[in-house]
Amino acid sequence: MSRLFGGRGGGRGDEGSGSTQELARSLARQGAWGGLWKLVLSLPFPQAAAAAAHLKPSRWQPQGMAERQLAQLLAETDRREVVRVGESVHASASRVLPSALNAAGPVGFCHQLPLAAINLIGEDLHRCRIVTVDRTGVLNEFYEGPTNHVSLCCVDADTVVALRDFAGDGHLRNAELVEYTPGGETVLAGGTALLGARVEATADGFVTGLRLVRAALGFFGGQELRLDLAEFGFNRADLFAVDPSGTRIAFADGFRILITDSRLEPMHEFAADDHLGHGPISAIAFTADSLVTAGLDRGLQRWQVVGDRLRPLHPASFPPSRALHRLSPVPAWDLLVGDGGNENFFYDQTSLDSRTSPPFLGSLDTGIGHFESAPYGRLAVYEGGLFPPTRDSADGFYSTVVLDLDHPLNLLARRLSSLSRADADRSRATRADAGRYPLSDSARNVLDRIEAAAELVPELAR
């Protein structure tokens, strides 16, 4: 037992969140070893290793072999090395688009490929560019001009679908649904009914939810489908989310939720009247195994589809201080990011417990404009401040950052208790392609330890 927690960890000040470490020290002083171990498991690996250093082998007894081995693994982790690797994530997994492109407008993701379509606004605020990006940066440009785009998605490598609005006859606003390809553009639909609509990719096409007309349009291989949501008591169709498989769509309005397949065939209907704890729905998103809603009266609620009905699971214990108007799931981090306007809120995808943003994102809560990702996407796109925070160049201010969620170093953002053997297998398979993801010796050492932890975590519940 003498070497159980006697690893070669770093010294004071190198372990991440000060408040977390203060809590760990406080629990150790109180002899609350069970609470301290629970805290360790609730943290990402770098912070978990630092918190585990406060465990006293003479006073805390691990329960079972897996717990003992995991504690030993954390104790023998070089915490300074973990911190250094954590500080390299932004440089390794992100691409900051050229500052001349400036901030991102609407962002849309591709279901089949790690691609995103972005409406980029440059120094001339009256002109924009529609481009596609992958983990390496900008791939193709599909449009440059003055037209305002309000929503877009990437159907495949050569197709971007966007909703654009403009001044029509008599200076009244008009709108078009347009398909951009390398060969040009094709207007798919037009008219004032498209004003305020949203478009998003599915597994076999894309869906458009209208704001002014209570209907949704689905497009599949040239075939157009339509769903009249007025039949289900809806007054709008632009508040919706696509699930990770791309085969289900959840529409929301007020206290109502309707789930359809990707061809707009209704599957599940739910009307809560005024029994939702967070008020009328303001945002909706799918996570890996559930549906999450946010409301105008603040708060979050998690739902599970059971048979032909929606079953409420649990609300967030500590709701945001303001209403959220967008929910962005990040499966690679096991996080849900809520956009409250000029502030972002972070939640565990399963428990809806409040979490902090991954350290490698810098000051993401108030230092950026918006953050977007999708449960089926493999990229995150956000407006960054100065990254890393100590950089003194203005070139990166309000730049657009594209983060590769397939990069193995994203494991540094996952809380310890959420790791699984599947995470370990996926990490090993991804980093086996050294040409795609070249890693330093330190990064490989840290990933070896996280993967080993991922093998042990499932044994803790046995």
Side-chain angles (χ1 to χ4, degrees), residues 288-416:
D289 59 356
S290 61
L291 188 67
V292 179
T293 56
L296 291 176
D297 294 339
R298 302 190 302 274
L300 292 171
Q301 174 71 53
R302 186 166 170 252
W303 307 85
Q304 186 177 47
V305 179
V306 180
D308 61 351
R309 63 189 179 88
L310 277 175
R311 178 168 69 93
L313 294 177
H314 54 77
S317 300
F318 298 96
S321 57
R322 62 186 67 188
L324 304 178
H325 58 81
R326 181 170 50 244
L327 296 173
S328 294
V330 191
W333 305 339
D334 196 34
L335 281 180
L336 183 69
V337 183
D339 187 338
N342 62 351
E343 186 174 4
N344 292 279
F345 299 84
F346 296 80
Y347 295 91
D348 185 277
Q349 283 200 23
T350 302
S351 66
L352 296 186
D353 288 341
S354 181
R355 297 265 303 278
T356 58
S357 62
F360 51 76
L361 291 181
S363 180
L364 187 55
D365 53 353
T366 57
I368 68 164
H370 66 262
F371 176 103
E372 293 198 47
S373 63
Y376 56 81
R378 290 147 66 184
L379 301 173
V381 179
Y382 55 95
E383 291 179 9
L386 295 176
F387 290 106
T390 54
R391 195 170 71 192
D392 58 4
S393 169
D395 290 342
F397 197 62
Y398 293 130
S399 59
T400 296
V401 182
V402 179
L403 194 145
D404 178 11
L405 297 174
D406 283 339
H407 198 290
L409 288 181
N410 283 289
L411 272 181
L412 274 76
R414 292 288 298 269
R415 59 188 170 91
L416 203 58

Side-chain angles (χ1 to χ4, degrees), residues 185-363:
E185 62 182 61
T186 301
V187 176
L188 303 177
T192 56
L194 289 168
L195 288 169
R198 277 189 56 230
V199 63
E200 192 165 337
T202 63
D204 44 13
F206 63 96
V207 62
T208 303
L210 305 182
R211 177 66 179 268
L212 301 182
V213 179
R214 295 175 288 180
L217 307 177
F219 292 83
F220 309 94
Q223 179 185 10
E224 179 181 328
L225 303 174
R226 180 185 174 98
L227 174 66
D228 185 359
L229 272 77
E231 297 179 5
F232 301 90
F234 279 61
N235 292 309
R236 60 188 294 188
D238 62 310
L239 181 54
F240 68 91
V242 178
D243 83 333
S245 70
T247 61
R248 292 185 301 170
I249 305 165
F251 294 92
D253 178 36
F255 301 101
R256 295 178 178 272
I257 297 173
L258 174 69
I259 298 179
T260 75
D261 65 15
S262 59
R263 296 182 181 274
L264 299 181
E265 290 292 332
M267 299 170 65
H268 312 287
E269 182 184 2
F270 176 78
D273 295 325
D274 59 351
H275 300 306
L276 283 177
H278 55 46
I281 297 171
S282 61
I284 188 168
F286 280 98
T287 60
D289 59 356
S290 61
L291 188 67
V292 179
T293 56
L296 291 176
D297 294 339
R298 302 190 302 274
L300 292 171
Q301 174 71 53
R302 186 166 170 252
W303 307 85
Q304 186 177 47
V305 179
V306 180
D308 61 351
R309 63 189 179 88
L310 277 175
R311 178 168 69 93
L313 294 177
H314 54 77
S317 300
F318 298 96
S321 57
R322 62 186 67 188
L324 304 178
H325 58 81
R326 181 170 50 244
L327 296 173
S328 294
V330 191
W333 305 339
D334 196 34
L335 281 180
L336 183 69
V337 183
D339 187 338
N342 62 351
E343 186 174 4
N344 292 279
F345 299 84
F346 296 80
Y347 295 91
D348 185 277
Q349 283 200 23
T350 302
S351 66
L352 296 186
D353 288 341
S354 181
R355 297 265 303 278
T356 58
S357 62
F360 51 76
L361 291 181
S363 180

Side-chain angles (χ1 to χ4, degrees), residues 12-17 46-47 78-94 358-362 382 386-391 403 407 409-410 412-413 440 442-443 446 450:
R12 181 175 61 87
D14 64 343
E15 301 108 341
S17 171
Q47 292 79 26
D78 185 334
R79 298 192 297 280
R80 284 196 177 94
E81 182 177 55
V82 172
V83 169
R84 287 195 299 270
V85 171
E87 290 172 346
S88 75
V89 175
H90 183 264
S92 300
S94 300
F360 51 76
L361 291 181
Y382 55 95
L386 295 176
F387 290 106
T390 54
R391 195 170 71 192
L403 194 145
H407 198 290
L409 288 181
N410 283 289
L412 274 76
S440 66
S442 289
V446 169
I450 299 178

